[in-house]
Amino acid sequence: MAESMGTFEQAVLLAILRLGEDAYGRAVLKEVQARLERDIAAGAVHATLERLTKKGLVVSRVESGTPARSGRARRFYRIQPKGLRALNDARATVDSLWQGLRWPLKGYL
Protein backbone atom coordinates (compact mmCIF):
# COMPACT_ATOMS: atom_id res chain seq x y z
CA MET A 1 0.00 0.00 0.00
CA ALA A 2 1.30 3.43 -0.95
CA GLU A 3 2.06 6.04 1.68
CA SER A 4 -0.87 8.41 2.02
CA MET A 5 -0.36 11.96 0.89
CA GLY A 6 -2.23 14.97 2.20
CA THR A 7 -4.11 17.47 0.09
CA PHE A 8 -1.49 20.17 0.59
CA GLU A 9 1.33 17.87 -0.52
CA GLN A 10 -0.72 17.02 -3.59
CA ALA A 11 -1.31 20.72 -4.28
CA VAL A 12 2.43 21.41 -4.12
CA LEU A 13 3.31 18.45 -6.37
CA LEU A 14 0.65 19.45 -8.89
CA ALA A 15 1.96 23.03 -8.85
CA ILE A 16 5.43 21.71 -9.69
CA LEU A 17 3.95 19.71 -12.59
CA ARG A 18 2.06 22.73 -13.91
CA LEU A 19 5.05 25.07 -13.65
CA GLY A 20 7.49 22.68 -15.33
CA GLU A 21 10.94 24.25 -15.68
CA ASP A 22 9.75 27.36 -13.82
CA ALA A 23 8.97 25.53 -10.56
CA TYR A 24 10.88 27.51 -7.94
CA GLY A 25 9.71 28.26 -4.40
CA ARG A 26 7.89 31.55 -4.92
CA ALA A 27 6.22 30.38 -8.14
CA VAL A 28 5.05 27.20 -6.41
CA LEU A 29 3.64 29.31 -3.56
CA LYS A 30 1.71 31.54 -5.97
CA GLU A 31 0.35 28.55 -7.92
CA VAL A 32 -0.83 26.79 -4.76
CA GLN A 33 -2.47 29.99 -3.50
CA ALA A 34 -4.26 30.45 -6.83
CA ARG A 35 -5.49 26.85 -6.99
CA LEU A 36 -6.59 26.66 -3.34
CA GLU A 37 -7.97 30.21 -3.51
CA ARG A 38 -6.51 31.25 -0.17
CA ASP A 39 -3.41 32.78 1.36
CA ILE A 40 -0.69 30.30 2.18
CA ALA A 41 2.35 30.98 4.34
CA ALA A 42 5.56 30.77 2.35
CA GLY A 43 7.04 28.68 5.16
CA ALA A 44 4.33 26.06 4.71
CA VAL A 45 5.26 25.60 1.06
CA HIS A 46 8.99 25.51 1.78
CA ALA A 47 8.52 22.97 4.58
CA THR A 48 6.40 20.84 2.26
CA LEU A 49 9.00 21.07 -0.52
CA GLU A 50 11.65 19.94 1.95
CA ARG A 51 9.47 17.04 3.12
CA LEU A 52 8.71 15.98 -0.47
CA THR A 53 12.43 16.09 -1.23
CA LYS A 54 13.23 13.88 1.78
CA LYS A 55 10.55 11.41 0.63
CA GLY A 56 12.20 11.27 -2.79
CA LEU A 57 9.13 12.66 -4.57
CA VAL A 58 10.94 15.74 -5.90
CA VAL A 59 14.52 16.85 -6.51
CA SER A 60 15.89 20.36 -6.58
CA ARG A 61 18.71 22.26 -8.17
CA VAL A 62 20.11 25.67 -7.35
CA GLU A 63 20.79 28.17 -10.11
CA SER A 64 23.03 31.15 -9.63
CA GLY A 65 21.50 34.50 -8.92
CA THR A 66 20.83 37.27 -11.38
CA PRO A 67 21.27 41.02 -11.02
CA ALA A 68 17.48 41.34 -10.81
CA ARG A 69 17.60 39.18 -7.66
CA SER A 70 20.66 40.98 -6.24
CA GLY A 71 22.73 37.87 -6.92
CA ARG A 72 20.56 35.56 -4.79
CA ALA A 73 20.35 31.99 -6.00
CA ARG A 74 17.04 30.34 -6.84
CA ARG A 75 16.12 26.71 -6.10
CA PHE A 76 14.10 24.90 -8.77
CA TYR A 77 12.08 21.72 -8.18
CA ARG A 78 11.27 18.79 -10.43
CA ILE A 79 8.95 15.90 -9.74
CA GLN A 80 10.45 12.40 -9.70
CA PRO A 81 8.84 9.19 -11.00
CA LYS A 82 8.07 8.29 -7.38
CA GLY A 83 6.18 11.60 -7.08
CA LEU A 84 4.14 10.83 -10.19
CA ARG A 85 3.26 7.41 -8.79
CA ALA A 86 2.23 9.00 -5.49
CA LEU A 87 -0.04 11.45 -7.30
CA ASN A 88 -1.56 8.69 -9.43
CA ASP A 89 -2.16 6.59 -6.30
CA ALA A 90 -3.76 9.54 -4.50
CA ARG A 91 -6.06 10.22 -7.45
CA ALA A 92 -7.02 6.55 -7.74
CA THR A 93 -7.84 6.47 -4.02
CA VAL A 94 -10.09 9.52 -4.26
CA ASP A 95 -11.78 8.17 -7.39
CA SER A 96 -12.41 4.88 -5.57
CA LEU A 97 -13.91 6.69 -2.59
CA TRP A 98 -16.32 8.59 -4.84
CA GLN A 99 -17.26 5.57 -6.94
CA GLY A 100 -21.02 5.05 -7.02
CA LEU A 101 -21.88 8.54 -5.79
CA ARG A 102 -23.15 11.38 -7.95
CA TRP A 103 -21.49 14.73 -7.73
CA PRO A 104 -22.37 17.28 -6.56
CA LEU A 105 -23.86 15.63 -3.53
CA LYS A 106 -27.48 16.41 -2.82
CA GLY A 107 -30.43 14.64 -1.36
CA TYR A 108 -28.43 12.43 1.04
CA LEU A 109 -29.74 14.07 4.20
Side-chain angles (χ1 to χ4, degrees):
M1 181 173 170
E3 180 180 343
S4 66
M5 187 170 34
T7 302
F8 195 73
E9 287 180 324
Q10 291 177 51
V12 170
L13 282 174
L14 291 167
I16 293 168
L17 277 178
R18 285 188 180 97
L19 292 166
E21 294 296 315
D22 296 323
Y24 62 93
R26 191 78 170 160
V28 172
L29 170 64
K30 289 179 180 181
E31 177 68 21
V32 171
Q33 286 177 331
R35 294 291 173 163
L36 296 180
E37 298 179 341
R38 62 184 170 101
D39 286 333
I40 306 292
V45 170
H46 288 289
T48 300
L49 287 167
E50 186 176 321
R51 188 170 55 255
L52 293 171
T53 300
K54 286 181 181 177
K55 289 181 176 183
L57 304 180
V58 300
V59 292
S60 67
R61 72 182 191 287
V62 177
E63 289 192 4
S64 58
T66 62
R69 291 182 41 82
S70 302
R72 292 182 319 229
R74 186 177 274 174
R75 182 173 297 277
F76 289 84
Y77 295 87
R78 188 183 59 196
I79 195 162
Q80 292 294 98
K82 185 177 177 181
L84 289 176
R85 285 192 301 274
L87 280 172
N88 284 324
D89 289 348
R91 176 65 187 256
T93 298
V94 169
D95 288 348
S96 176
L97 289 170
W98 278 91
Q99 191 171 3
L101 295 173
R102 289 186 171 197
W103 189 83
L105 297 175
K106 47 186 162 175
Y108 286 95
L109 298 178

